[in-house]
Amino acid sequence: MKRWTMTLALVAMGSVASWAGSVCPAGNGSNPFPHSPDSTATGCNVVITINSNGSLTVTVPDSTPYEESEDVLVGVVNNSSVQVNSLNLSGSGIFGFDGDGICVYTFVGSGYCTGAYLNDPLDYAGPTSTFTNFSGGDSGTVNFAPGIVPGGTSYFSLEGVPGNTITGSVGSSGPVTAAAPAVSTWGLAFLVIGLAGLSFRMMKRTA
């Protein structure tokens, strides 16, 4: 029984480790990020937190760009009570896309990085985001579909050395709409169900 308990614990730890961060994913596969940002916590270079009053707080958990040059992996945490459908962001050159967004690399959940996502601007996008109004390079809009629900997270990438000089505001928001859980949520759910089933079977076998 001790051996099975240890095995189950190691399986659970492996599942968590594969995602690396609580907000942004880990690089993996054939062409991972040269640098995995904040690998023991958020997994992001920059985290934008949407506060309860709708304001934004920007923090920099890891100042080393994920491709070790000048790009940032940005996570978004929605601590407000409404679904957030877009963010208007500004910063020096952050929308100056130059062909090395996260989709150039492989990471956990990068299966969406095909077709248009291999070219600017979508090579910088996350699985639920697109960019508009970015022609000037210093400002633009990040759109989320589905929107980020209260307590939810999302991620994407931008140009520039990681810094908290990014500013912005919530572009559009609204009531919470139903959305399928993120891949990580499904993975955790199936893991819990599977572990529960294994534990039950082993308990019956040793009874």
Side-chain angles (χ1 to χ4, degrees), residues 42-100:
T42 66
C44 311
N45 289 122
V46 174
V47 175
I48 299 173
T49 301
I50 305 164
N51 301 309
S52 59
N53 63 357
S55 65
L56 305 184
T57 299
V58 179
T59 58
V60 184
D62 192 329
S63 60
T64 301
Y66 65 83
E67 36 72 273
E68 297 184 336
S69 180
E70 80 300 89
D71 288 348
V72 296
L73 182 52
V74 182
V76 182
V77 178
N78 184 8
N79 285 342
S80 75
S81 60
V82 297
Q83 176 173 291
V84 172
N85 301 319
S86 68
L87 292 175
N88 297 319
L89 301 178
S90 297
S92 180
I94 61 174
F95 288 95
F97 305 128
D98 65 358
D100 54 359

Side-chain angles (χ1 to χ4, degrees), residues 79-151:
N79 285 342
S80 75
S81 60
V82 297
Q83 176 173 291
V84 172
N85 301 319
S86 68
L87 292 175
N88 297 319
L89 301 178
S90 297
S92 180
I94 61 174
F95 288 95
F97 305 128
D98 65 358
D100 54 359
I102 52 175
C103 276
V104 172
Y105 302 94
T106 55
F107 53 90
V108 179
S110 64
Y112 72 92
C113 294
T114 61
Y117 283 88
L118 299 178
N119 301 289
D120 288 341
L122 287 180
D123 54 318
Y124 287 79
T128 63
S129 58
T130 56
F131 304 108
T132 54
N133 307 318
F134 56 86
S135 60
D138 292 339
S139 63
T141 301
V142 186
N143 308 287
F144 303 100
I148 310 173
V149 299

Side-chain angles (χ1 to χ4, degrees), residues 148-161:
I148 310 173
V149 299
T153 64
S154 188
Y155 64 88
F156 52 90
S157 57
L158 292 174
E159 275 292 314
V161 176

